[in-house]
Amino acid sequence: MDYPIWNVAMGGGVLMAWVAITHVIVSHFAIGGGLIIVITETLAVKRSDPELRELARRSSLVLILVSTVFGAISGVGIWVVAGLISPGAISALIHNYVWGWAIEWVFFILEIVAALVYYTTWDKISKGAHLLVGWLYFIGAYFSLVVINGIITFMLTPGGWLESHAFWDGFFNPTYWPSLVLRTGIVVLMAVAFMLWPAFKASPDRRPDLVRYLGWWFLGGVFVSYAGYRWWEAVLPDTVTALFLGEAPTLAGLAATRSFTLWSLTLGLAVTVVALLLAPKLARGLTAILLMVGAFGFFGGYERLREGTRKPFLIHSHLFSNGLLVSQIDEINARGIAAHSGWVAAGDPAPEAFGGRIFVAQCASCHTIDGYQSIREALPTVADMELVAADQPSGMGAVHYREQCSRCHGDIEYQEMAEMMPTLEEIREDPEFIRELNLGMITMTLVELRDMGEEFADFEPGKQFDMRTLDRSYMPPFVGTEEEVEALALYLASLDRGETDVVATGGEK
Amino acid sequence: MNTDLIPALDAAGMPGPPWLFHFLLVFTFFLHLIFMNLTLGGTLMAFVANLRGGGRTADPNAVLAKRLMGVNTYAISLAITTGVAPLLFVQVLYQQYFYSGTILLGWIWFNMLVLLMIGYYAAYLHKKFRGPWLGVSALTFFGIAMTHVAVHLIHVQPEKWARFDANALAVLGDPTYWPRLLHFVLAAITFAALVAAWWAVRRARAGVDVEVNTAIAATAWRWGLWSTVLIMVDGFILLGVLPKPVLLGVMRGGLATLGPLTISILFGVGLLMMLARAKNPVENPGLVSGTLAALTLTIAVMTVTRHQVRVLYLDPFTSQFHPTIVPQWGNFILFALLLVAGLATVFWMIRRVLTSPAEGDEAA
């Protein structure tokens, strides 16, 4: 929060999502591809089957072109983007887990060198030596996963680390093993989804064979990843599963994501059984695309679920995704965010501009002005008030109310509000008064967000928090002094006047 | 010094003593430089050689270009792989400055990834289709070098952050920017040139395409000679435009700073003499290997000097922060053991590969 801010119109989170999605797909493919390719080659050598060997060879071209470069660059990309959009958060992760990453790097070297050698030496060295290189590639790739899995799972379920802050307590956390099984299944799914394409290039009489062969792999991948997924759900703390499981999940969106995840896997399973195993002759480009949709849907859904249940933390119960530590809440409330960050303090001292810098420091990692999770949309405006009050055509008032107001007024019915709020004439006559009313609403909302911070003191330290007890469990609290609440409220209220980008970062003279 | 804009130290503390991270940062950065030099220097040289070769496949210049780009397939991947480690360690030691620097550059820093991607695939397209791709590749790698020098100069000068915040491109006006950039680019060219010369000499001595290889060795050698001349000139200019306190710091640092600097200057002069001595490198293979080894050593020593210069730039700021140290010795030892085992495996694998030619019917 005390770093300068990179203001991306599209939203840092959206950019991160794009980079991360590409990276996880490619990197899991690189691992699973390694496994299937080298086993395929082993079988081909044993059975002296040139077509099977050709499949391994063709796939290894994709592997090298896509994974050693695209995978590596997008992996670096995750760091680059994280450093740009949430430097405090990524710094905290690195300061705790640098040796984990350093170890991953060793396996990464092995993986990359082996991949380059494997690809270049087809038919140039003895078959035994070539297989050896292939296995070393797979070992390097898989152990990268073994290491990074510890860090990723730590972020959602830090387990004993919250109390001890000991590396291995966080590494072998409650979701470590289930997640490793799940990802082991996923790497196979990703690899098959890609390898079907080179398999289609085989001679027509061998094609069905190869397709069925890959079908068995996919089937295995489905079972392993389903088992891993259920195990993962089973070991998650109840406070986390309650967010998306059961009669009344706290976050309905995540519950839908979960159904999507499992239905995607079902789709993949159905396509495999029908078009890869029973009637491999039918397999076409469309089959491969459907399989990819199923596999990516499952994987993407799971990742979304993992991220969604972790929000608003980067490290659950320890560090928020905007870089605020739970342990800093009281101190910043007392001294102010300006005292904490030179970038917020420096620049135009007028309250509105100051508030703009506070927004950037605390809120902009999740909210854009008008794009993804638009803050302007989330706040009441004079136009919103008019629409609700006008109720034109009749019934639309209630609709607008549900869309524009009920996220904060969930406890008030439309009818009740209609009686309480100013009429359309009053609004038109005196929009300034409405602006004042809106400013009041925004200020009160920020006060609530600030009060929410105090509730963190009630949680049992060293244990994973039950975020359901909070009103706005998807957001970090606001931290700062009362004066800063007012400045931020003024800034947020000013958005209704149409200024798009009054945000001035610190230091500008 | 005013530290208002500098973020706080990370609350988690440092998972090992600072000297260890300084060492790892410098050491892994040196590894990165080796492959980065091959990539950047090799592509720039290949671009020129390719033009001079004028599409005649047997022309030594064309063969040289092809060879350099052949090496590049691997060098790019390895430059990325070895670049990951210094990127990791710099975030442990200098996160306050490094992240701030990258954020002030914003999209320019992000676009480095895009350039990298374009550069790599353009190199691949060049091999398949020729056309303008080699130029694209050379341009993107040069752009990446520019980005790195920019982020470096921004992160070491927190006193200028407010200015860079208003306009990040102001860094191009920093007196050290162009000399510094040139210093790295020329060194990359020298390194790639000497590797190319060394390989051509080996081939020629082995009796393979003697005429072409002799010509390539001579050309590459001349590249090496002239870029070293320029590096020396540029190096003294760079020294001259360094901010006063930094230069004074180097001069007053005693053996610790003057040692490496003097050694690298002496090595530079030595390199020049060696490069100027051989008219036909093929006749003097020992000198060629010696020159390449000396250059590699110079780069290693220069990596130390570069790091010391950063330390001096940042000293007025870093001296006001006192990180807590929470060493994780066990994990470090595990890393060190795995690193040794990993590198040993890589070497063992490569030896196995080099000593296991395809048998009879397997050979393609």
Side-chain angles (χ1 to χ4, degrees), chain A residues 2-8 10 15 19 61 64-66 68-70 72-74 76-77 79-81 83-84 87-88 90-92 94-99 101-103 105-110 112-114 116-117 120-121 123-129 132-133 136 167-168 325 340-343 346 505-509, chain B residues 4-8 10-16 20-21 24 28 31 73-74 77-78 80-82 84-85 87-89 91-93 95-96 99-100 102-104 106-107 109-110 112-113 116-117 120-121 124 161-162 165-166 328 331-332 334-335 338-339 342-343 345-346 348-350 352-353 356-359 362-364:
Chain A
D2 44 357
Y3 281 87
I5 304 289
W6 184 40
N7 224 335
V8 231
M10 74 193 287
L15 183 67
V19 177
L61 171 67
I64 186 105
L65 269 186
V66 174
T68 61
V69 172
F70 206 68
I73 297 180
S74 57
V76 173
W79 272 356
V80 163
V81 177
L84 285 170
I90 188 75
S91 163
I94 284 189
H95 280 77
N96 283 294
Y97 279 96
V98 62
W99 298 121
W101 266 299
I103 289 170
W105 177 65
V106 173
F107 290 112
F108 182 52
I109 298 178
L110 179 61
I112 295 293
V113 177
L116 294 171
V117 173
T120 352
T121 52
D123 294 330
K124 296 209 175 98
I125 59 174
S126 73
K127 284 178 177 159
L132 174 85
V133 176
L136 285 176
F167 184 99
W168 294 105
L325 286 163
H340 179 69
S341 164
W343 293 95
T505 44
E508 229 160 86
K509 298 282 143 68
Chain B
D4 281 357
L5 292 183
I6 301 176
D10 198 283
M14 249 191 226
L20 181 59
F21 291 109
L24 288 170
T28 56
L31 293 183
T73 322
Y74 308 99
S77 290
L78 294 173
I80 299 172
T81 312
T82 49
V84 167
L87 179 62
L88 178 64
F89 295 125
Q91 294 179 70
V92 177
L93 276 175
Q95 85 284 358
Q96 299 156 284
Y99 294 135
S100 302
T102 62
I103 291 169
L104 292 175
W107 279 112
W109 176 243
F110 177 84
M112 179 191 66
L113 301 169
L116 199 54
M117 206 92 84
Y120 175 81
Y121 290 108
Y124 179 77
W161 282 354
D165 184 39
Q328 301 177 359
N331 295 330
F332 164 70
L334 184 62
F335 159 67
L338 282 169
L339 182 62
L343 292 181
T345 311
V346 167
W348 175 70
M349 171 177 78
I350 291 176
R352 236 341 264 281
V353 165
S356 315
E359 304 118 26
E362 287 175 347

Side-chain angles (χ1 to χ4, degrees), chain A residues 218 266-278 286-288 290-291:
Chain A
F218 199 88
T266 316
L267 169 74
L269 180 65
V271 173
T272 307
V273 172
V274 175
L276 301 190
L277 294 177
L278 294 179
L286 182 66
T287 322
L290 279 178
L291 209 65

Side-chain angles (χ1 to χ4, degrees), chain A residues 16 21 73 150 197 241 272 311 338 371 393 414 417 463 471 503:
Chain A
M16 184 57 150
I21 288 170
I73 297 180
W197 300 101
T241 35
T272 307
K311 288 272 163 63
Y414 170 65
M417 178 60 83
K463 293 275 172 304
D471 278 340
V503 176

Side-chain angles (χ1 to χ4, degrees), chain A residues 1-327:
Chain A
M1 288 172 105
D2 44 357
Y3 281 87
I5 304 289
W6 184 40
N7 224 335
V8 231
M10 74 193 287
V14 178
L15 183 67
M16 184 57 150
W18 281 112
V19 177
I21 288 170
T22 1
H23 180 67
V24 293
I25 289 179
V26 172
S27 60
H28 283 68
F29 159 66
I31 302 168
L35 178 67
I36 304 186
I37 290 172
V38 67
I39 291 189
T40 305
E41 194 197 349
T42 311
L43 289 177
V45 170
K46 271 215 182 103
R47 299 181 192 159
S48 307
D49 180 342
E51 284 274 12
L52 200 58
R53 193 147 182 275
E54 232 358 78
L55 173 64
R57 181 212 294 264
R58 268 197 301 266
S59 307
S60 77
L61 171 67
V62 186
L63 192 72
I64 186 105
L65 269 186
V66 174
S67 71
T68 61
V69 172
F70 206 68
I73 297 180
S74 57
V76 173
I78 292 188
W79 272 356
V80 163
V81 177
L84 285 170
I85 65 173
S86 33
I90 188 75
S91 163
L93 261 187
I94 284 189
H95 280 77
N96 283 294
Y97 279 96
V98 62
W99 298 121
W101 266 299
I103 289 170
E104 195 209 353
W105 177 65
V106 173
F107 290 112
F108 182 52
I109 298 178
L110 179 61
E111 171 185 347
I112 295 293
V113 177
L116 294 171
V117 173
Y118 185 74
Y119 169 65
T120 352
T121 52
W122 278 99
D123 294 330
K124 296 209 175 98
I125 59 174
S126 73
K127 284 178 177 159
H130 195 250
L131 278 175
L132 174 85
V133 176
W135 281 107
L136 285 176
Y137 168 79
F138 171 66
I139 291 172
Y142 191 73
F143 274 84
S144 307
L145 174 66
V146 166
V147 177
I148 201 73
N149 183 54
I151 301 177
I152 298 173
T153 51
F154 156 78
M155 292 158 73
L156 173 59
T157 50
W161 181 92
L162 286 173
E163 213 165 76
S164 67
H165 282 233
F167 184 99
W168 294 105
D169 283 347
F171 192 90
F172 288 116
N173 62 79
T175 52
Y176 180 84
W177 293 108
S179 167
L180 189 64
V181 173
L182 170 52
R183 284 181 192 274
T184 303
I186 289 175
V187 300
V188 172
L189 302 184
M190 291 297 115
V192 175
F194 278 101
M195 285 178 67
L196 269 181
W197 300 101
F200 287 158
K201 291 208 180 118
S203 65
D205 52 320
R206 285 303 306 285
R207 231 176 93 156
D209 259 9
L210 297 184
V211 167
R212 184 173 281 147
Y213 167 77
L214 288 176
W216 288 115
W217 273 107
F218 199 88
L219 193 68
V222 168
F223 287 128
V224 173
S225 45
Y226 183 70
Y229 177 81
R230 293 317 286 250
W231 188 13
W232 178 74
E233 266 185 2
V235 298
L236 276 182
D238 297 342
T239 54
V240 173
T241 35
L243 296 174
F244 64 97
L245 280 181
E247 296 282 290
T250 320
L251 301 175
L254 281 187
T257 305
R258 177 182 184 266
S259 320
F260 171 81
T261 308
L262 293 176
W263 279 113
S264 299
L265 192 62
T266 316
L267 169 74
L269 180 65
V271 173
T272 307
V273 172
V274 175
L276 301 190
L277 294 177
L278 294 179
K281 283 208 179 84
L282 294 181
R284 291 283 175 282
L286 182 66
T287 322
I289 290 176
L290 279 178
L291 209 65
M292 280 181 143
V293 169
F296 291 4
F298 171 69
F299 189 17
Y302 159 69
E303 290 280 13
R304 173 100 195 84
L305 210 53
R306 188 176 60 77
E307 297 266 322
T309 46
R310 200 187 65 213
K311 288 272 163 63
F313 292 107
L314 188 87
I315 300 172
H316 206 288
S317 310
H318 178 70
L319 174 78
F320 294 101
S321 49
N322 58 1
L324 170 73
L325 286 163
V326 172
S327 59

Side-chain angles (χ1 to χ4, degrees), chain B residues 59-64 67 196-197 200 211-221:
Chain B
D59 186 282
N61 266 306
V63 179
L64 172 63
R67 237 177 235 180
E211 205 172 311
V212 172
N213 276 312
T214 308
I216 291 180
T219 310
W221 197 250

